[in-house]
Amino acid sequence: MNIRGKATSLDIAHLAGVSQPTVSRALRGSPMVNEETRRRILAIAEQLNYKVDKNASNLRAQQSGTLALLLFEDPTSDESHINPFFLPMLGSITRACARRGKDLLISFQQLSNDWHADYGDSHKADGLILLGYGDYLAYQGKLATLMSQGTPFVRWGAVLPGQPGLSIGCDNIGGGRQAGAHLARTGRRRVAFLGDASSHYPEFLERYEGCDAALREAGYGLDRALQVDAESSEDSGYAAAQVLLARGLPFDAVFAASDLIAIGAMHALAGQGLRIPEDVAVVGFDDIPAARIATPALTTINQNTTLAGELLVERLVALVEGTAADSERLPATLVVRGSSCEAPPD
């Protein structure tokens, strides 16, 4: 390839037999370019030692080339205020941005702040990825504000009909069904649920409903008298288990809405002399690293955080580029470990 001077995107377009806009899209990682064409363009660009002028490209597109990740604080037992569930997803998001030549601005937010107005109006980034939200009903209004401002955003959370914007989430009902079916198979009949199973926390509610459906298919269901509200933290799980124990109602299993709640509950149960899983089986949800090293190791529902991070970036880039994108639920997978694997005595 004999190119005099510095190679341009027009040179690549000529050699690849495509238009210059197609070259630009391929170099940005746009899903509008098929994989074969993208690889051909990238190979030619590499041979020509072509470097993307990000500033010029962004000026033409009136974009910053930056995506913002807003991470909302969670109650934790330390000073991090970051739910450990989000840490591997954060790594996946960072890698996905790098592959697309996007800079990533990470900002730690309190839900009480006017983050929706700040990022919607400041043009700090071309679009937002939102992780964590607390009370969904309070959060929903801020999502509607982002929509009215025309701010592209994608969030991790429950995928609900008619909700503002685009969401990537887990099949929480399916995961709850797997937890309930597993507990039924191991002979558990009185299953307690720890977590706020209401419209304020729709992911927890879906997990409750899925578990209840599976238990009903086995001939019984969840008893609301064995449900205790809890946020996703070990301290909250410990306190919720204490409330459950104080009620004095019999139960032989606990399904916790998150692993952090489950691990806190296990400490409270063990403190009362209950054996896990012999006396009480415990199942969590998330499959965070701490679930593997809990004592006993925690049975849980795995969510694919790697794929989630990739899809959050993919869908946001599509929205920024004006391409159609849809919400999506990712499958959940039961991971059986020592906290539930034995059936109680007859």
Side-chain angles (χ1 to χ4, degrees):
M1 299 180 183
N2 296 319
I3 303 294
R4 291 186 176 182
K6 185 178 179 181
T8 69
S9 59
L10 289 174
D11 296 324
I12 298 173
H14 174 73
L15 292 170
V18 298
S19 67
Q20 192 274 338
T22 298
V23 171
S24 296
R25 293 189 190 99
L27 295 175
R28 292 199 308 268
S30 169
M32 297 176 66
V33 181
N34 68 53
E35 185 64 18
E36 181 181 350
T37 302
R38 187 184 71 84
R39 287 179 179 173
R40 186 167 75 252
I41 289 170
L42 291 178
I44 294 171
E46 183 177 359
Q47 291 177 35
L48 295 180
N49 196 29
Y50 176 79
K51 303 295 183 184
V52 178
D53 185 341
K54 293 179 68 176
N55 291 331
S57 175
N58 293 339
L59 285 172
R60 285 194 299 272
Q62 294 185 330
Q63 295 174 1
S64 67
T66 298
L67 305 180
L69 169 62
L70 305 192
L71 186 62
F72 297 96
E73 66 177 16
D74 270 317
T76 59
S77 56
D78 56 20
E79 295 299 317
S80 70
H81 296 287
I82 298 176
N83 188 327
F85 168 73
F86 288 125
L87 295 178
M89 194 181 295
L90 175 59
S92 177
I93 289 169
T94 303
R95 290 189 294 273
C97 286
R99 286 196 298 270
R100 290 168 171 79
K102 300 290 186 182
D103 294 325
L104 182 65
L105 172 65
I106 301 176
S107 180
F108 193 54
Q109 298 286 323
Q110 290 185 334
L111 284 167
S112 58
N113 291 346
D114 291 331
W115 53 267
H116 57 303
D118 182 24
Y119 278 86
D121 295 335
S122 66
H123 305 292
K124 293 178 181 178
D126 300 326
L128 308 179
I129 296 172
L130 309 176
L131 298 184
Y133 55 86
D135 186 326
Y136 178 75
L137 296 184
Y139 171 77
Q140 194 173 24
K142 296 184 177 182
L143 300 182
T145 299
L146 288 177
M147 290 286 292
S148 67
Q149 293 172 165
T151 303
F153 71 90
V154 181
R155 57 178 291 271
W156 170 264
V159 180
L160 305 173
Q163 66 184 174
L166 193 153
S167 297
I168 303 298
C170 172
D171 179 7
N172 292 295
I173 292 178
R177 290 186 69 94
Q178 291 179 62
H182 168 68
L183 291 171
R185 285 194 299 271
T186 58
R188 313 293 170 162
R189 293 294 181 270
R190 297 280 295 168
V191 179
F193 183 86
L194 303 185
D196 188 338
S198 74
S199 56
H200 291 273
Y201 292 83
E203 290 174 290
F204 287 5
L205 177 59
E206 289 182 339
R207 293 167 193 179
Y208 178 95
E209 292 173 340
C211 182
D212 183 56
L215 293 176
R216 289 188 184 281
E217 289 174 2
Y220 48 96
L222 289 172
D223 182 350
R224 273 288 181 176
L226 295 176
Q227 183 268 325
V228 182
D229 289 350
E231 296 180 328
S232 191
S233 74
E234 290 185 42
D235 289 345
S236 187
Y238 185 94
Q242 295 272 29
V243 171
L244 177 66
L245 289 164
R247 290 179 182 174
L249 301 173
F251 63 94
D252 56 17
V254 168
F255 176 35
S258 77
D259 286 350
L260 290 175
I261 295 172
I263 291 169
M266 288 169 67
H267 288 302
L269 295 172
Q272 293 298 311
L274 294 172
R275 299 169 301 162
I276 301 170
E278 293 86 356
D279 300 323
V280 181
V282 179
V283 177
F285 205 110
D286 287 338
D287 199 18
I288 62 174
R292 302 172 182 83
I293 59 174
T295 305
L298 179 63
T299 294
T300 185
I301 304 296
N302 174 271
Q303 302 188 73
N304 191 334
T305 52
T306 299
L307 179 58
E310 293 171 355
L311 289 178
L312 285 165
V313 174
E314 174 191 291
R315 302 299 160 83
L316 181 56
V317 169
L319 291 177
V320 169
E321 295 181 346
T323 306
D326 296 318
S327 296
E328 185 170 344
R329 289 187 183 91
L330 305 183
T333 306
L334 174 70
V335 181
V336 178
R337 300 192 179 103
S339 69
S340 71
C341 62
E342 295 183 21
D346 294 332

